[in-house]
Amino acid sequence: MMKPHIDLSKEPNYDVVWRGDIGGFNNEEDWKKWFASYEKMIVKYARLSEELKCEILSVSCELINVNHREQEWRDIIRKIREVYSGKLVSSANHSGEEVSKNWLDAFDYIGVMLIICQEI
């Protein structure tokens, strides 16, 4: 499985450190820029996944605050399927993201990221 992640350092313009916090944009232009950038990145990985014959590609990973942009995600998934023939998965956070997307039907699988800590 190919599973690209967005890992951030402190973003001074948006006060974002964790990928789940991406999405505090104030205008449509910023949303368009973000999705254009993400689409470029994920379609590149879709092509690479096809070339490497990866069985599964994770389309998003814990991008909680951008999930409400259903049409943009459906457009991205359509473009991914144009270049990648494998299965698609949503790598959701365990906080309820795994059931909050209105576009889960676009995936072949739904994954949930869990962090289990045990004191030794």
Side-chain angles (χ1 to χ4, degrees):
M1 178 170 88
M2 176 79 70
K3 188 169 176 258
H5 285 221
I6 298 175
D7 284 327
L8 305 166
S9 59
K10 185 83 167 171
E11 170 54 58
N13 293 329
Y14 298 106
D15 196 32
V16 171
V17 178
W18 177 54
R19 64 186 149 266
D21 293 331
I22 294 171
F25 306 122
N26 296 323
N27 59 65
E28 270 312 296
E29 189 60 33
D30 286 344
W31 280 110
K32 287 178 184 178
K33 287 178 185 177
W34 188 87
F35 272 102
S37 176
Y38 192 83
E39 178 184 307
K40 183 178 178 181
M41 180 275 298
I42 198 67
V43 169
K44 175 183 173 180
Y45 281 104
R47 285 189 179 103
L48 180 60
S49 296
E50 182 71 18
E51 180 182 321
L52 296 174
K53 298 180 179 21
C54 293
E55 294 178 25
I56 303 171
L57 171 64
S58 177
V59 173
S60 66
C61 180
E62 298 183 313
L63 295 173
I64 296 167
N65 286 327
V66 296
N67 286 335
H68 66 285
R69 307 290 292 204
E70 180 179 352
Q71 190 56 55
E72 287 92 334
W73 284 112
R74 288 188 183 280
D75 291 345
I76 285 174
I77 290 169
R78 182 181 45 77
K79 289 176 182 171
I80 289 170
R81 290 198 187 272
E82 290 173 2
V83 299
Y84 176 67
S85 61
K87 303 292 185 182
L88 300 181
V89 65
S90 165
S91 300
N93 184 273
H94 58 88
S95 63
E97 181 191 13
E98 70 278 13
V99 295
S100 67
K101 295 176 183 174
N102 292 330
W103 41 282
L104 288 174
D105 62 297
F107 295 102
D108 301 298
Y109 301 108
I110 302 166
V112 180
M113 306 271 301
L114 294 174
I115 298 174
I116 300 172
C117 300
Q118 181 176 1
E119 190 173 317
I120 298 176

